[in-house]
Each structure stands twice: as C-alpha cells, then as structure tokens.
C-alpha cells in the first residue's frame, strides 16, 4: 500500500494546529491589560486547519513516493542515539551509531564501517573537545 | 556621507585584521567545501556550520566567518551547477541550463570564471549600494511603531509563503506552522508559559539552531538516503579558465543588468536569489540578439543570473540588518548567527553595534575577493571532493551536526531536538513542503505577536490603528495584494488544468 507523505504530513500538521487552538482557550484571548497570550496561537491554528484541508486536495504527483525503510530506520537509530547519549557518553554512542549507519544504510562491510566510524569519532573529538574546548562527556561516568 | 565612508573605512580596517582575515579564509573554504556537495545549499551549509562560528573570538569574527561561509556556499553551488548539472543551491538552477551546456562543449573554464567574476562584480556593486541605502533604511525604520512592524512582518511572511516557489497554499501552511512553533515558550508580555508542557528546556522557546540543523541538515541527509543509488556523478573537464574577448563582450551587459535587478529583487522580503536569477535570465534572453543560443551554452545565460543572485544575496542583508526582518531562509539563519553573538539586528544595530554592522558590510568585500583569489584556481580540487564516497560524507555531516548542536549550550535536549526536527525535515521534504517559510515565520512569530498586541493596545482593542497609519496601511495593502494575486493565479491555474503539481515541479 502506498502511504502518501502529503497525507501523513497533513494529518500531523492538522493535529498540531488543533493542539494550539485548544491550548489557546487556557491561555486566554483577552486579559484586563489587553490582548491575551492565546490570541495569536488560536488565530494561527484556526487558519492553518482549512489551509491544510485545501493543500490535501491538491493532486499528488507520481514522483511523491511512499516512505522508504532506510530513512525511517535512520530516524529510529538517531532517536536511540539521543536517548543513550547522556549516560553512555559521546565516544561509544557516536562510534556505534555511525558504524551502524554506514553498515546498514550504505551497505559497507563491517570493518570499513568500524574504521570510518572510529576515524569520524576521533575527528569530532579533536575538533570540538580538544581544539574548540567544548566540555563533553566522552565516556560513561563511573 | 563622509561619516558613512569613515565608518565603512573603520569596518574595512577591522575586517582586514589578521584574525578576521583568517576567519574569512576558514569561512570561504568551509562554505565552498560543503557548498559543492550536491543537495547541500547555503541554508544547510550555514545551518550545519553555525555552531562552529560560535567559537570565533569576537562577534565580528563570527559574522565575518558566517558571511564567508554564505559566499563560499553560493560559489560552490554554481560550480556543481556548471560542471555536473547538479545545483548546489536553488538559485543556481538557472545556471545549470547554459552553464552545463558550456561545460559539455569543453568551455567549463570560461563558464566558471564568468560566474565567479560576475558574482564578484555584482557583489561589489551591491555592497556599494548597501553602504548608502542601509543607513537610510535604518533612519527610516527608527520611526516605525508596532503597527508598522506588524504590517512589515506580515508582508515578509506573505512574500516568503508565495514567492518561494511551489504551491502558495503549502507555503502559507508552513508559515502558520512556523508562527505556532515560534510562539512556544514564555510570553514576553504576560509571562505566561505557552505550550511548553512543563519542559524547562523550552521555556525560553524552541532553540533555533537545532531546529535549523534538523530541518535542513539532518532532514537532507535522511532524504538523500533514499536517493543514494542515483548513479555516480561525472565531472566535466574544466579546460581553459579565462574567458575570451568575445565572452567578455557578451557578458558585460548581463553582469551590469544582473547586478541592478538582483539588488532590487533582493530588497523585497521573500524575493531572494532564485527570483533574481530567473528575472535576469528571462530579461537576457529577451534582449539577446541570439536568443536561440539560450539553453545551448550562451555565456550571457550564466553571467546574468549568477551576477543577479549574488547581488540579491547582498541586498537581502538590508532588511535583515536595518529592520531586523530576515528576507529569506538564508538571512533567517544569519539572523540566528547574529543573535547567538548577542547582536540584535534592527534599526538600532547601527547605534549599538556599529562596528559589527560596518564590519559585516566590509567583510562582504573581503569574502568576495578571497573567493575570487582562492577558489577559482582551486576549482579542480573542489570537484575532487565529489569523488569522496557518500558513505563517508553523509556520516561526516551528521557528526558535525550532532557535535555542533551540543557545543552551543552543552545540552543533551538540543541533540534530541535536532533528531526530532531532522525527522520533521524529512517528512516535509517528502511531502513537498518547503521549510524556508517555516523558518522565517518562526523567527518573525514573536515580532508579529508582540507588535499585534501592542497595536491593539494602542488602538483600544481596534485593528483600525494599523490601517489608519499611512506606512502600515501601505505595507498591509501590499501584503494583501501579494497573497490575493498568488492565490488567484493558483485557483486559475487549477481551473485551467495546470494544477498545483506542475506549479511545484
């Protein structure tokens, strides 16, 4: 089944607009001092919804292909990386994430993936931690 | 006038200090390096390299580096357009038409040289104009009140939504999404927390840098994962570099006209380099004695658009520096770069940060000259970069994005935001939704919100104050004309069977 990205984006953006519209009621449209903090979010959300409906009615070109597995897998890998980063440190997480990225999404051999990931991690360490002196937790805290 | 020239002289002296020259050199090299990579235009390049500039010694050094990255990326984009028919950035699409045909005929050298020299001349002329127009704009803008700012922000958003190419309805959708995202955080007027859901890290609003790097940098990498099997790129031979006497004769007029067109178009918020190069190409084709050569390697088809897009790029600094309103996605990223350095663009920048203001303008000269001296002879080297396999380049950019995002605030949440916005960037790209208007709206959201509410306060709750003041009323009418005319063409196009699909292609 072809999942049309326009429809997925439309549904998510509509939900996003709706959250802002509903949230605006809690913020208030008007206060004793004048316009409230909910005024513009409500107006913007309320205009967004019909606009999305119109955009959804545009014909979908054939070259708007369905989602492919590689980017979706890469997004999951990156989210796992972001979750592991605070406790595992930059060096191991970056090395593992890049090695998996090169191996899975670029179909390179394991040794090539490991070598490239190690070189890039070292490059990042030298540039940002050593040269630019950014305080970075490189390894897990003991 | 004399005072202006004196200040420019001081800016030039500052930008010629060895330290700042080094930043210009690093910026030019980095910008070109990333700019020649297919699919990575100036916005992505600056967004990815933005954190690096944070560590420059001074605000001026950082801004000089940013401006050099910008020019480097623009130059890199033209190089791949001419040699590979792969526009490194949207404004170079027009250059592909005749530039690549010239390269196929073994005239890549003159095409590259004319693109670089035309860009240099146009950039220099535009900087000269900017020196005089910029302060006038700033003086004029000092008298602006909330209604004028509201109308200006609205005009900027209307133009960015409708002129960025593609369906205006989709552009408007992105504008409203950007406004909503920009409103997240503490309300500056009442102090109320808006849509933070108790997350402390976003109580000051969503940070622009992870958002930019995610939407443009990571989003692009994810999108390219789908298209990595599209075959290898084969670079043409560059051949003789310098243009012949005939080439010069045919390029003189287009360069001069392109410079003027670019400057005027660049002043319009949302206009930008793409529109400028398109207008220039159309005009040159109409004026040419040999219009049939266009599309088959006419050097005027390279000289005009390349000069025009460079001039527009320079002119787009005027609304940014003097009004504090970014005119396009690139200047929106530069806006973020200035804010990171605690420099607030706007009418008061000339008073509060005069050294940075004039330093930026002077650095444009320096950046242009450096690119001309450095990059033209090294064009072969840049092309070699395309031989670096994608399985190394993609992860390398990913690494710079991650480490760079973290380095700004040493905050893991920012890395998480980068990933989330990367996924959003990929989705938007797949759905043919342009993230440019979203970024512009994100930046303008707070100006829009505060100026709207202050205007309503001034007018005792009535919007009449905006339409009753001559400047705000004029700007507002312009905004309405832009939106209505674009929507009218859209509806008419659909009725005529052209449809939105073709218009977005």
């Amino acid at each position: 089944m072809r999942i049309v990205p326009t429809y997925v984006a439309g549904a998510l953006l509509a939900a996003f607009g709706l959250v802002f519209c509903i949230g605006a009621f809690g913020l208030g449209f008007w206060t004793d001092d004048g316009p409230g903090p909910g005024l513009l979010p409500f107006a913007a959300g309320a205009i967004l919804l019909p606009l999305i409906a119109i955009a959804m009615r545009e014909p979908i070109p054939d070259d708007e292909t369905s989602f492919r597995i590689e980017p979706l897998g890469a997004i999951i890998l990156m989210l796992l990386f972001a979750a592991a980063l605070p406790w595992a440190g930059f060096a191991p997480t970056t090395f593992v994430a890049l090695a998996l990225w090169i191996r899975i999404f670029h179909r390179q051999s394991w040794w090539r993936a490991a070598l490239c990931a190690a070189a890039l991690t070292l490059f990042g360490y030298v540039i940002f931690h050593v040269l630019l002196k950014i305080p970075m937790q490189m390894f897990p805290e003991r | 006038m004399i005072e202006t020239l004196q200040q420019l002289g001081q800016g030039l002296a500052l930008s010629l200090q060895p330290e700042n020259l080094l930043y210009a050199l690093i910026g030019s090299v980095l910008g070109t390096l990333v700019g020649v990579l297919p699919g990575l235009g100036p916005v992505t390049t600056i967004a990815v390299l933005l954190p690096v500039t944070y560590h420059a010694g001074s605000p001026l050094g950082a801004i000089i580096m940013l401006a050099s990255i910008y020019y480097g990326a623009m130059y890199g984009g033209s190089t791949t357009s001419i040699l590979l028919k792969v526009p490194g950035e949207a404004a170079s699409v027009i250059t592909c038409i005749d530039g690549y045909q010239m390269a196929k005929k073994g005239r890549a050298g003159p095409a590259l040289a004319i693109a670089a020299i035309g860009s240099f001349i146009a950039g220099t002329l535009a900087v000269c104009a900017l020196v005089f127009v910029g302060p006038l704009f700033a003086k004029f803008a000092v008298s602006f009140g909330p209604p004028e700012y509201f109308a200006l922000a609205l005009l900027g958003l209307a133009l960015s939504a409708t002129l960025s190419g593609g369906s205006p309805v989709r552009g408007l959708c992105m504008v409203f999404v950007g406004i909503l995202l920009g409103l997240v955080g503490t309300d500056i007027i009442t102090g109320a927390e808006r849509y933070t859901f108790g997350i402390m890290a976003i109580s000051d609003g969503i940070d622009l840098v992870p958002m930019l790097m995610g939407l443009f940098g990571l989003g692009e990498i994810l999108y390219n994962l789908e298209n990595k099997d599209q075959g290898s790129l084969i670079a043409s031979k560059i051949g003789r570099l310098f243009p012949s006497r005939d080439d010069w004769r045919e390029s003189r007029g287009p360069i001069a006209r392109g410079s003027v067109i670019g400057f005027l178009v660049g002043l319009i918020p949302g206009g930008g380099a793409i529109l400028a190069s398109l207008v220039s190409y159309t005009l040159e084709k109409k004026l040419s004695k040999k219009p049939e050569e266009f599309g088959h390697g006419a050097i005027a088809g390279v000289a005009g658009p390349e000069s025009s897009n460079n001039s527009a790029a320079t002119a787009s600094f005027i609304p940014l520096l003097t009004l504090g309103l970014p005119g396009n996605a690139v200047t929106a990223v530069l806006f973020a770069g200035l804010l990171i350095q605690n420099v607030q663009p706007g009418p008061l920048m000339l008073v509060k940060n005069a050294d940075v203001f004039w330093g930026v303008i002077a650095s444009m000269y320096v950046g242009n000259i450096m690119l001309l001296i450095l990059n033209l002879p090294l064009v072969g080297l840049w092309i070699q970069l395309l031989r670096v396999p994608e399985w190394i380049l993609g992860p390398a950019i990913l690494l710079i994005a991650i480490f760079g995002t973290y380095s700004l605030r040493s905050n893991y949440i920012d890395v998480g935001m980068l990933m989330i916005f990367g996924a959003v960037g990929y989705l938007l790209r797949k759905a043919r939704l342009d993230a440019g208007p979203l970024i512009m709206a994100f930046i303008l959201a707070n100006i829009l919100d505060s100026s709207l509410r202050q205007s309503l306060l001034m007018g005792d709750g009535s919007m009449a104050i905006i339409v009753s003041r001559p400047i705000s009323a004029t700007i507002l009418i312009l905004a309405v004309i832009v939106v209505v005319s674009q929507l009218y063409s859209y509806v008419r196009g659909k009725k005529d069977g052209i449809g939105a699909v073709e218009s977005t292609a």
Side-chain angles (χ1 to χ4, degrees):
Chain A
M1 190 186 76
R2 182 184 171 205
I3 300 169
V4 181
T6 291
Y7 296 151
V8 176
L12 289 173
L13 294 181
F16 176 78
L18 210 57
V19 166
F20 274 79
C21 277
I22 295 166
F25 284 96
L27 291 166
F29 303 123
W30 206 269
T31 65
D32 295 339
D33 300 324
L39 184 67
L40 190 60
F42 181 79
I47 299 170
L48 176 65
L49 294 172
L51 280 173
I52 290 169
I54 298 169
M56 292 304 99
R57 293 188 60 185
E58 287 181 354
I60 306 295
D62 291 337
D63 62 356
E64 186 177 315
T65 52
S66 190
F67 296 103
R68 292 257 302 263
I69 193 78
E70 292 97 330
L72 298 180
I75 290 168
I76 294 169
L77 177 65
M78 287 296 96
L79 290 174
L80 289 174
F81 164 83
L85 198 58
W87 57 268
F90 271 91
T93 44
T94 308
F95 171 75
V96 171
L98 291 183
L100 286 173
W101 183 288
I102 297 165
R103 172 75 184 115
I104 299 168
F105 307 123
H106 293 281
R107 298 190 186 92
Q108 298 298 313
S109 63
W110 275 114
W111 71 266
R112 204 179 242 196
L115 201 69
C116 183
L120 286 174
T121 308
L122 185 69
F123 167 79
Y125 169 76
V126 171
I127 297 288
F128 287 92
H129 193 61
V130 178
L131 294 177
L132 295 175
K133 296 185 172 57
I134 309 295
M136 297 171 106
Q137 183 202 326
M138 293 308 291
F139 292 96
E141 278 179 354
R142 288 185 186 177
Chain B
M1 174 74 88
I2 292 169
E3 193 192 348
T4 303
L5 289 174
Q6 273 175 347
Q7 285 173 319
L8 177 67
Q10 283 168 3
L12 205 57
L14 279 172
S15 60
L16 286 174
Q17 282 177 357
E19 185 191 328
N20 291 332
L21 276 177
L22 181 69
Y23 288 129
L25 177 71
I26 296 171
S28 305
V29 173
L30 283 177
T32 314
L33 198 106
V34 186
V36 292
L37 303 176
L40 296 176
V43 183
T44 311
T45 308
I46 302 171
V48 170
L49 297 175
L50 197 57
V52 179
T53 64
Y54 181 63
H55 305 286
S58 62
L60 181 61
I63 305 305
I64 286 178
M65 202 166 154
L66 272 174
S68 305
I69 289 172
Y70 182 25
Y71 282 117
M74 294 282 283
Y75 180 86
S78 326
T79 306
T80 49
S81 290
I82 291 167
L83 294 178
L84 306 166
K85 209 183 178 184
V86 178
E89 36 109 14
S92 297
V93 170
I94 307 295
T95 312
C96 278
I97 305 170
D98 284 284
Y100 184 65
Q101 290 301 325
M102 284 181 73
K104 269 174 74 177
K105 290 176 183 170
R107 287 177 24 86
L112 285 165
I114 278 295
I117 295 165
S119 298
F120 171 73
I121 296 170
T124 306
L125 290 175
V127 171
C128 291
L130 196 154
V131 166
F132 300 103
V133 176
L136 286 179
F137 253 67
K139 263 186 198 162
F140 185 57
V142 169
S143 61
F144 281 13
E148 285 77 18
Y149 269 99
F150 175 73
L152 258 177
L154 219 55
L155 176 66
L157 293 177
L159 286 163
S160 77
T162 52
L163 294 182
S164 64
S167 146
V169 175
R170 283 168 177 256
L172 284 170
C173 283
M174 287 294 90
V175 160
F176 284 102
V177 172
I179 291 174
L180 293 176
L181 283 171
L183 294 175
V184 172
T186 309
D187 172 31
I188 47 170
I189 296 177
T190 61
E193 291 233 334
R194 291 195 282 199
Y195 310 100
T196 57
F197 302 104
I199 304 167
M200 275 295 287
I202 55 169
S203 62
D204 284 337
I206 296 171
D207 198 65
L208 181 60
V209 178
M211 187 173 162
L212 277 172
M213 292 176 82
L215 287 176
F216 292 102
L218 191 54
E220 195 71 42
I221 293 169
L222 291 169
Y223 186 77
N224 286 343
L225 279 181
E226 284 190 2
N227 305 301
K228 61 180 186 292
D229 302 325
Q230 279 186 347
S232 59
L233 303 162
I234 299 160
S236 324
K237 281 191 175 172
I238 294 160
R240 189 186 133 194
L241 198 60
F242 284 98
S244 64
R245 194 170 286 183
D246 282 348
D247 289 337
W248 282 117
R249 208 184 49 240
E250 286 174 33
S251 306
R252 273 189 318 230
I255 289 173
R257 285 186 289 271
S259 305
V260 177
I261 292 167
F263 190 80
L264 296 176
V265 174
L267 285 176
I268 306 167
I274 309 165
L275 191 65
S277 51
L278 188 68
V279 172
S280 168
Y281 189 82
T282 313
L283 182 76
E284 292 312 325
K285 197 173 174 182
K286 276 196 177 150
L287 292 178
S288 175
K289 287 174 189 161
K290 296 175 272 185
E292 68 283 357
E293 282 186 5
F294 277 73
H296 302 283
I299 198 159
V302 176
E306 276 299 311
S307 309
S308 182
N309 71 37
N310 206 285
S311 182
T314 307
S316 66
F317 276 81
I318 294 179
L320 172 74
L321 297 178
T322 60
L323 303 175
L325 296 173
N328 52 43
V330 177
T331 45
V333 185
L334 291 170
F335 182 90
L338 287 163
L339 290 184
I340 287 173
Q341 296 295 333
N342 282 325
V343 175
Q344 178 70 48
L348 294 177
M349 190 178 165
L350 250 174
V351 182
K352 288 183 180 168
N353 301 96
D355 56 335
V356 179
F357 183 92
W358 291 106
V360 171
I361 291 175
S363 74
M364 292 180 193
Y365 281 120
V366 178
N368 266 318
I369 295 169
M370 196 157 278
L371 279 168
L372 197 66
I373 297 170
L374 189 80
N375 282 356
L376 208 51
L378 293 181
V379 67
L381 183 74
W382 301 126
I383 293 305
Q384 290 301 317
L385 198 71
L386 293 165
R387 295 184 203 275
V388 177
E390 205 179 309
W391 60 270
I392 296 177
L393 280 178
I397 295 165
L398 185 66
L399 177 113
I400 294 169
I402 294 167
F403 279 48
T405 300
Y406 179 82
S407 75
L408 281 177
R409 298 196 301 178
S410 299
N411 190 339
Y412 292 114
I413 298 270
D414 286 346
V415 180
M417 294 293 252
L418 168 77
M419 302 308 169
I420 292 167
F421 279 111
V424 174
Y426 164 70
L427 175 65
L428 296 182
R429 187 79 205 267
K430 283 291 291 179
R432 296 170 293 117
L433 291 160
D434 185 5
L438 186 154
I439 289 293
M440 277 199 58
F442 177 82
I443 289 173
L444 293 176
N446 278 314
I447 299 174
L448 198 72
D449 186 35
S450 56
S451 57
L452 169 67
R453 287 159 69 185
Q454 283 165 1
S455 302
L456 286 172
L457 270 177
M458 285 165 71
D460 291 326
S462 166
M463 293 281 279
I465 188 163
I466 298 167
V467 286
S468 63
R469 289 163 65 125
I471 298 174
S472 57
T474 311
I475 300 169
L476 204 63
I477 290 168
L478 277 174
V480 172
I481 291 172
V482 167
V483 174
V484 171
S485 65
Q486 287 295 315
L487 289 177
Y488 175 72
S489 324
Y490 169 76
V491 173
R492 232 184 70 177
K494 278 183 91 172
K495 273 190 183 164
D496 292 348
I498 297 164
V501 179
E502 282 80 4
S503 71
T504 56

